[in-house]
Amino acid sequence: MEWAAERHGLEYELKGIVGVSADETNDACIEIVAEVAVEVRCDTVRLRSSAGHDANYPNDTAPIGMILVPSVNGSRYHENEYTEREDVVAGAELLARIVGRRMLV
């Protein structure tokens, strides 16, 4: 922010107006995501995540886990973010199988 303001000869003031705490993901959710990912032959990397805006609200009523699909060049939260169709389909398949399995329990 400071760099951009100086570059354009501007003054700025930052005020914190919204704060969202991060909630821990649930170990059982992480396990089932990893287990089903192996079944559908998805490459996996386990990341310990503290979900902020993505999952705070549902975490009040149910445990949370996250499925992340890769973005080309690792770009996220940016207008140039792009995920290959096959990765989107793989993530959706993974989610569908997890939901289907949980519905049978």
Side-chain angles (χ1 to χ4, degrees):
M1 187 70 106
E2 181 179 347
W3 173 83
E6 287 177 5
R7 181 177 173 198
H8 296 285
L10 302 172
E11 294 181 11
Y12 71 96
E13 178 182 350
L14 292 177
K15 290 183 181 180
I17 57 172
V18 175
V20 176
S21 64
D23 289 346
E24 289 295 315
T25 52
N26 178 275
D27 288 336
C29 290
I30 293 168
E31 284 302 317
I32 195 165
V33 169
E35 186 180 307
V36 177
V38 169
E39 291 173 14
V40 298
R41 295 187 174 107
C42 286
D43 293 333
T44 62
V45 175
R46 284 190 186 210
L47 301 172
R48 194 80 183 147
S49 177
S50 297
H53 68 282
D54 294 325
N56 276 110
Y57 303 108
N59 199 33
D60 289 342
T61 57
I64 59 168
M66 297 178 78
I67 298 170
L68 305 172
V69 295
S71 294
V72 174
N73 297 323
S75 179
R76 0 175 270 204
Y77 301 110
H78 188 273
E79 64 188 35
N80 293 332
E81 180 178 358
Y82 177 76
T83 300
E84 296 287 349
R85 185 178 195 283
E86 64 191 33
D87 291 325
V88 173
V89 169
E93 166 118 10
L94 180 58
L95 177 60
R97 287 188 181 219
I98 291 166
V99 170
R101 178 177 292 185
R102 298 308 296 164
M103 297 298 283
L104 296 174
V105 174

